[in-house]
Amino acid sequence: MDDAANSGISEPLDLVKLSLGERVFIKLRGDRTVTGLLHAYDAHMNVVLSQVEETIHIVDVTEDGNPLPPRVEKRSLEMLFVRGDGVILISPTQQ
Amino acid sequence: MSGFFGFDTSLPERGGQRGPGGGQQHFSGFQASNVDETFALGGAGEEEDLAVYTWGEGGMGGGGLLEGGDELNDETFGDDLGEINNNFQFSSQPATAPPTVKGKIASTQSRYKPKPVSDPFAFSEDDFYSSRPSKKTTTAKAPSRPKPSTGQSGSVENLWNKPAVSSPAWGTAPSAMTKLTPPPSASFPSQPPAPGHIKSLEEIEAEMAQMAIPSTSTAAPTQQKVFSLEEIEKQMMEQIEPPRQATPQQPAPPREATPTQVPGLAGSGYASQQALLDSMFPELGKGPSALGGLAPAFPPGPRQEGQSQPSQPPQPSPEELARMEELHKRITSKIQSMAKYNNLMGSSDKDFITRIQLSQLATADPYTSDFYAQVFSALKRSRMIAEGQGDGPTVVQVGAGMGLGVGGPVGNRFGKMGQNTMTKLSTQVKKLVENRAQHQKITNTAALQGALGRVTRGNAAAPRPVLAIPTSNKPENRPASQLNQQTGIHRAALTKKQVMFALEELYDAILELEQMRREAPPPTAMEEIEIWHAKCQAKVDIIWRRLMVMEPLDISIPHPFISLVNPIKGQKLFPRLLRHLPHTQSITLLSLLIATYTQLDVVFRAPPPPVADASLLTKADRLDRVKREAETDSFLQFVIPGVDMIINRCGLGLVAGMLAISAQRSEVWRVAATRPGVALYTALLSKAQSLIRSPTPDPMNPQQNQQVDPAELEQWSKTFTYFLHVLLPHLNDLFPSSVAQKAAFGPGAYLIGGDAVSDREGQEMERREAEVWGFVAVLAVNAAEEDQTNLVAALREKILHTVQSSRHPNVSPARAEMKLRNVNMFLNGLGLDASMIE
């Protein structure tokens, strides 16, 4: 079975395919991460997610240029299209 | 040394012959001391293991000088070299020696003869001009003036001894020159040096003086158009004169002059610079205020603008016109610059590119690779047909098994391209596919190409395939089916990756199968229909094999099939699968499912009872609960209806068998304590009851028309009695509220027992209770009379508590009503009612 599973995987995106319909964790450029149910993807890593929770890591800077401790902002979205050029990594959520 | 430039080596003496003069210093460069120095340098080469040159031998005493690089002269000195012939005119040189040279020099000259173009003697650009045989204008002459000096300074001696000789000589000379008043340039054309004419010292002096002039005015040497003195004067006047002189008529000449001139040259004056600026930055010319600090620097320009503006207010301002003109010019020049690429691509090139682009879209399976667009367009089309509009193809079929999904009803997937384009597209792709098919045949013969390690980039016979359509004709190698042949083997459960992979394969197969079903041939074509049926059946077989239902029951825990149904993805697949499976296979599938029900995640890891205070949970715990709940919900939503459907097709004997399997293989009360378990048993029991009670013919299942077989009935009652007796002691634990109360501890216990939970949660709880009440109701209906009494006895407390709590003032009316309805569901089955309870 292991062989059979591996023989069908010929390119990296085949692994992403295995996560279709599953919750995935996506790291994006701009200090953002997103988790959601993977509905679709393409060769450009464009991705459609549902039940999304987006997490944005923000470091505010005071007027004299000192960084404040990083804070995290979250928002939830019903459905989300993620453009592929921002995607850094896709992984199944650990549970 | 001397041979290098074709000079006589005995120049020092010659210099002496020339006698004293203004230019004498420059030409006495070949002093003995210099020569010695040069030689010293050349001699240094001996110690340094360099090639040794003897004096006079090669004329290249300079040692390192590049001699053979004449080919590069073109690059270095420009293209004018073509005009230079071998007849060197050292016209400006005070050569006592005629160009006819001595023997050793002749040898070097002969060396250069074959290359008449290059002038190896020219050290600078100016040299070239001077050595040109024909000099007609003064302008050409002006640059030529350096010749006498460069002819010398270009020699190797001066290169080596620059500080020694040339700098003092030149340091004094130009300063002296600048003191000279510039002689009128008009005087020069009168004396063009004839070829071969040897200049007198005066001439040379005059030339040098002339040369000094451009250096002050900086423009002349490179400029094409040379201003006469008057012109220059006029320009200088303009600069100096007050701006009032710049009347509207006045700016014309400098303005006209600007386009022809090289930008930024002082010779054209500030006015032209201003014009240039104006043209480059139209906004700047809006007036003196706009120019700001620049205005004084360029007096004429802005003032002109400022003056002309108020004079013609109604008309579009000149700047605007200029800007428009400028814009127009720019546009036209852009178009012109682009126009040189016009018709660069032939129609075949365009064809080729179109095909490359189209090849991205072509796919072996336009429906599944474009599934959502297809479904969407199908929906849209049905709406349009309802509105009376026509429909078009959703797939452009090209060749066998190739196509382009075009989605939209009228092919507007490609924007506004019409039907025409669609046909064009399809022919394009057809061509592409045919091409490929042809090439592929050839490629097969060249299968061994590159076997020896050469990387082939394709050749005429076997070009690299432009379009790679994935073809999966690999024989399906399923270890699962191999394992079927060996029995008693235990394996590890499928890993998550394997499960996911298998599911993806299943989805692919299902999509293909569904597509196949949609492509049913017309009912008249008998043969095609047969083929189609066979194909579908083959696909179903594949799916069946992939489902791994036929694996031995104990091959792994969980069973591979259960592993497939565990993820939500697999659960969603379940109803779609059942649609295609024949009855026997679905029965097999159901038996397997029931036999391994405890292995299901939703049963084995059923969501734990709710806690009163969610804040007690860790985050991971909370997420896990959410996930389990989601899985359970999805199982109830997708799998149970399918299970119901299969059960509904079963006879009593089968139902009894299923229940028996479940009772044998699992701890019934554990399974029944989960929602999927309750749902399964409820379905089984209610089906059995409906079969026993109403053997009336079911229009859907005509085969079950006959009366219930007494043997089956007996088997059923036996199984059920056993089932009930196993279950009875645990009946109270089936109710989620009881479980929750049991699990609760601390103050939470009161919260749950008391009805302080929020109304919404309470109603949710009642809904879940209803499932169990429904189950016990079916139990009651199926049970024999004495068992019914046992049942009521077992549930007595639960009934009483529920009825009482429904009358509690704290309970919302909605929830109270639900509670009563739940209890009545059970009591009514026994012919009782909650209202009878005091």
Side-chain angles (χ1 to χ4, degrees), chain A residues 1 6 17-18 20 22 95, chain B residues 479 497 500 508 569 627:
Chain A
M1 189 61 213
N6 288 329
K17 191 180 185 185
L18 301 189
L20 275 176
E22 296 279 301
Q95 273 196 18
Chain B
K497 189 176 151 195
M500 288 307 181
D508 284 347
K569 221 200 258 195
K627 192 187 165 219

Side-chain angles (χ1 to χ4, degrees), chain B residues 4 114 164 233 335 507 526 812:
Chain B
F4 182 61
E233 262 180 345
I335 290 173
Y507 265 107
M526 296 302 288
S812 70

